[in-house]
Amino acid sequence: KKREDVPSSCCLLKDMKRIPQCDNTLGPLDFSKMHTVLVDVDVFNCGAGPIPQDGRDMWHNDFVKMPFSLSSYMKTGYKKQTNTVRWEVIYKQLRSLSKKTTASVKDLEDAIIKYNPKYQGQWSFDALSSLVKADPNGSNYSPKLFQKIAELALRLPELMKKAVPLLKRGHPAAITLSQTQIACLLANAFFCTYPHRNFSGPKAEYHNYPSINFTSLFGNASSRKKQKLRAIMHYFQEVTAKKLTGLVTFERRCFKDTDLPNWRSSNKKMHKLHVASYGTIENEGKGMLQVDFASSWIGGGVLGSGLVQEEILFIINPELIVSRLFTEKLGDKECLIVTGSQQFSNYSGFGDTFEWKDPHEERLNRDEWARLQRQIVAIDALHFKHRSEQYNMNHVTRELNKAYCGFKGHQSNEPDIATGNWGCGAFNGDKQLKAVIQLMAAAQAKRGLAFFTFEDESLKQGLQQTYHLLVTERTTVDKLYSLLQNYCATQQAYGSAHVDLFEFIRINFSPSKSLL
Ligand code: AR6
């Protein structure tokens, strides 16, 4: 048989279920104890668009500490130091910057340092300067851009009247806000205005949260930084020039032990699978639940030098970056689902070859809550320093549970899932093992998988054959689980001599006739 003729139980890409086909009615937009809505729901439900919900500032451990809070002070003055409300300083700086006919990177730096004086001489802006200087046309920077971002940042007190809750570990909760509110929050991140967010280390108040102020994106010039900044500049060009109409929801899902399957005794069979070596999660997986190969610190190195799957996703959909403001580090049984974020940029390459290509024309429809029909789930795989660490059932079970948290839907009619080599790049996972783990989690969650191998042709063939065998043999999840126990034991026994998991499955599960 030719390789292409391998028997396959897989389905075609066109047979995968996408959001528009799911048609789950949402009903009117509503808030609850678990769902904070930062726009006025009555006005929104009347069709008058998103306007900010009234409320008051909360300088409290359960909420984002806003730079305009009257409780946020800083010391000003030289000889005689006085306490000044932080926003007064920020306002003065950003207002005068926004009025300038030309604003340079140095002007931006001077403004930022005025309300972050501790970092004078420490924060570098060389990546931003080299972008603006070296390539004024191709950089997506335009002479008035910094002024426009400053104006947008200054609207924070007017746009964010209601306090933003933190999505804390162990507490399932959701936040819905408008794209305009997100743009304003990100403009503040760009100008590094968030208080208490520049320190790291175990004693820092936000030590369990990702960074949000953009300072780390501005220094350490490199070609990666340049490409990332081009995308960010393009985002700000767009959001300061065009009216944004949509909403976006960020939902933290947390599972209790009792919500998790008993993998040892699950009789679920394989669900639908499509495998392709061509295509990407974000393009060919449009309309499906798209997996973000995440860091437990959501967004990973997006504000630093990282530029693999998660960082690229966040750079082309910058609204995702705002999740770093309020999402505590993910625990083992948690995920974050983002519904409605907009893609602003197209790209080519990956890692060092990544390049910002051109503006993305968004063609997705919106749901009843004006959210674009794009749903992304962030699940963080384990990071294995040594590949051999992963052949251990505690780790395998952790990964099964994590994938299940991401895959298990809320409703009966949910889209299929677009995924691929989750945990198998920066995190060093075994592609075959991770593929089988995701197959088991999808079977348990009863959702189809579109699996993009990212040009790995042999993984594609192997996965198709393995899946065909599992389907024809009616293999259940518990059988696969106990096979993985044997597999891990074999791996440990063999030490460095690697045993191929697909081969191991073939030997163990093939019908006896084919073994003769
Ligand atoms: N579509 C499909 N497959 C892809 C795509 C794509 N768009 N991009 C990459 N791949 P990696 P990890 C494949 O290393 O190992 C970040 O810093 C490609 O084969 O991004 O889970 C996070 O913040 C690639 O090698 O994911 C975490 O800290 C493989 O997916 C950390 O990396 C894995 O991509 C997560 O690392």
Side-chain angles (χ1 to χ4, degrees):
K1 270 185 179 175
K2 282 203 309 211
R3 272 171 84 84
E4 299 83 61
D5 294 339
V6 282
S8 177
S9 311
C10 290
C11 63
L12 299 172
L13 189 60
K14 69 172 178 50
D15 298 328
M16 303 308 288
K17 192 159 67 166
R18 301 178 194 251
I19 298 174
Q21 289 137 257
C22 299
D23 198 27
N24 285 315
T25 44
L26 292 164
L29 178 63
D30 205 2
F31 57 87
S32 68
K33 237 178 118 187
M34 308 258 286
H35 182 196
T36 301
V37 179
L38 297 168
V39 299
D40 186 314
V41 294
D42 296 327
V43 173
F44 182 83
N45 288 328
C46 288
I51 66 156
Q53 168 62 29
D54 262 336
R56 65 191 171 89
D57 172 52
M58 303 280 266
W59 189 260
H60 185 284
N61 289 343
D62 291 341
F63 296 88
V64 172
K65 289 190 168 153
M66 285 293 179
F68 61 79
S69 171
L70 294 178
S71 307
S72 183
Y73 288 99
M74 60 177 290
K75 296 227 184 305
T76 52
Y78 291 104
K79 285 196 183 125
K80 195 168 158 278
Q81 287 214 319
T82 47
N83 274 336
T84 310
V85 173
R86 204 176 139 85
W87 189 249
E88 267 182 35
V89 184
I90 296 172
Y91 186 87
K92 195 171 148 213
Q93 293 304 317
L94 298 194
R95 174 110 185 132
S96 88
L97 190 132
S98 72
K99 297 281 171 229
K100 282 183 186 290
T101 29
T102 55
S104 64
V105 174
K106 182 74 177 77
D107 294 328
L108 180 124
E109 174 178 352
D110 289 346
I112 291 176
I113 291 299
K114 279 278 179 356
Y115 45 85
N116 291 294
K118 262 195 224 160
Y119 300 95
Q120 180 150 32
Q122 281 185 50
W123 282 356
S124 154
F125 293 78
D126 64 341
L128 194 58
S129 338
S130 62
L131 175 86
V132 170
K133 257 189 251 147
D135 191 6
N137 297 323
S139 63
N140 294 333
Y141 164 81
S142 70
K144 288 277 179 219
L145 185 59
F146 292 160
Q147 290 90 320
K148 287 192 237 162
I149 305 174
E151 267 169 31
L152 178 59
L154 286 169
R155 294 180 63 199
L156 193 66
E158 156 215 338
L159 286 171
M160 301 303 298
K161 293 183 199 144
K162 188 173 167 64
V164 183
L166 294 170
L167 296 179
K168 290 192 161 187
R169 194 171 223 181
H171 298 277
I175 301 173
T176 295
L177 68 176
S178 71
Q179 291 185 282
T180 308
Q181 288 173 317
I182 295 175
C184 175
L185 290 165
L186 289 178
N188 276 276
F190 182 87
F191 276 103
C192 307
T193 69
Y194 292 105
H196 297 206
R197 297 301 291 257
N198 297 324
F199 330 103
S200 46
K203 292 229 172 81
E205 182 182 341
Y206 285 91
H207 71 273
N208 229 13
Y209 287 78
S211 64
I212 181 67
N213 288 329
F214 277 15
T215 144
S216 47
L217 197 57
F218 296 152
N220 286 329
S222 65
S223 57
R224 285 184 172 213
K225 282 279 176 67
K226 181 178 166 194
Q227 297 304 324
K228 290 169 94 164
L229 283 168
R230 287 175 82 190
I232 294 294
M233 297 292 165
H234 171 65
Y235 167 73
F236 282 120
Q237 286 286 10
E238 290 283 301
V239 299
T240 52
K242 291 184 185 154
K243 194 171 156 50
L244 301 164
T245 53
L247 303 186
V248 183
T249 301
F250 296 83
E251 183 190 359
R252 186 182 192 110
R253 290 192 187 166
C254 312
F255 285 64
K256 295 195 264 329
D257 284 336
T258 47
D259 301 326
L260 294 170
N262 183 350
W263 300 102
R264 279 188 184 79
S265 61
S266 161
N267 59 6
K268 299 277 184 314
K269 296 202 184 72
M270 290 299 106
H271 212 78
K272 209 161 87 180
L273 177 72
H274 167 78
V275 193
S277 52
Y278 165 83
T280 60
I281 295 171
E282 64 277 11
N283 287 339
E284 281 66 22
K286 264 205 177 88
M288 292 186 231
L289 175 67
Q290 301 178 359
V291 178
D292 162 14
F293 302 159
S295 157
S296 54
W297 311 88
I298 192 80
V302 63
L303 298 181
S305 299
L307 203 42
V308 286
Q309 195 253 7
E310 174 166 55
E311 289 91 355
I312 293 174
L313 189 64
F314 278 52
I315 282 293
I316 61 172
N317 299 261
E319 290 163 344
L320 296 172
I321 298 173
V322 87
S323 60
R324 294 170 67 88
L325 181 62
F326 45 70
T327 310
E328 191 171 3
K329 185 173 192 259
L330 295 176
D332 284 343
K333 290 165 243 161
E334 300 185 316
C335 68
L336 184 80
I337 300 213
V338 185
T339 309
S341 67
Q342 183 172 340
Q343 182 176 342
F344 285 82
S345 297
N346 295 317
Y347 73 98
S348 63
F350 188 74
D352 284 335
T353 59
F354 174 89
E355 268 185 50
W356 182 86
K357 209 161 90 194
D358 52 21
H360 179 77
E361 202 182 309
E362 191 64 273
R363 292 213 179 86
L364 294 179
N365 290 328
R366 292 180 186 272
D367 67 13
E368 290 162 75
W369 296 356
R371 300 177 306 183
L372 287 166
Q373 291 183 325
R374 173 177 290 110
Q375 201 170 44
I376 293 168
V377 62
I379 46 173
D380 53 302
L382 288 172
H383 183 180
F384 299 112
K385 299 241 158 45
H386 302 287
R387 286 179 68 81
S388 57
E389 289 166 27
Q390 64 197 299
Y391 307 113
N392 160 324
M393 284 314 280
N394 289 336
H395 292 333
V396 169
T397 311
R398 188 274 183 197
E399 301 296 65
L400 279 166
N401 288 336
K402 175 62 81 164
Y404 178 76
C405 293
F407 294 178
K408 176 87 185 112
H410 270 339
Q411 286 152 320
S412 53
N413 192 12
E414 302 253 22
D416 289 326
I417 297 160
T419 189
N421 301 332
W422 173 55
C424 298
F427 279 2
N428 227 353
D430 174 328
K431 287 183 187 174
Q432 298 189 3
L433 177 56
K434 274 291 198 294
V436 170
I437 287 175
Q438 293 186 82
L439 274 182
M440 290 165 73
Q444 192 65 35
K446 299 205 191 98
R447 282 175 92 169
L449 281 190
F451 197 105
F452 298 98
T453 69
F454 213 63
E455 290 171 18
D456 188 332
E457 197 57 42
S458 83
L459 180 68
K460 175 188 151 184
Q461 307 267 349
L463 184 54
Q464 283 179 335
Q465 285 164 10
T466 306
Y467 174 76
H468 180 72
L469 178 65
L470 297 175
V471 170
T472 47
E473 292 301 302
R474 298 192 169 78
T475 310
T476 48
V477 167
D478 55 351
K479 295 280 174 323
L480 264 172
Y481 189 84
S482 74
L483 174 127
L484 288 180
Q485 286 177 313
N486 293 339
Y487 176 68
C488 286
T490 312
Q491 285 287 21
Q492 278 160 10
Y494 278 64
S496 55
H498 182 74
V499 184
D500 190 290
L501 175 59
F502 289 166
E503 181 68 11
F504 194 83
I505 292 178
R506 197 182 61 76
I507 293 167
N508 282 277
F509 286 157
S510 284
S512 45
K513 58 180 182 313
S514 67
L515 286 176
L516 292 175

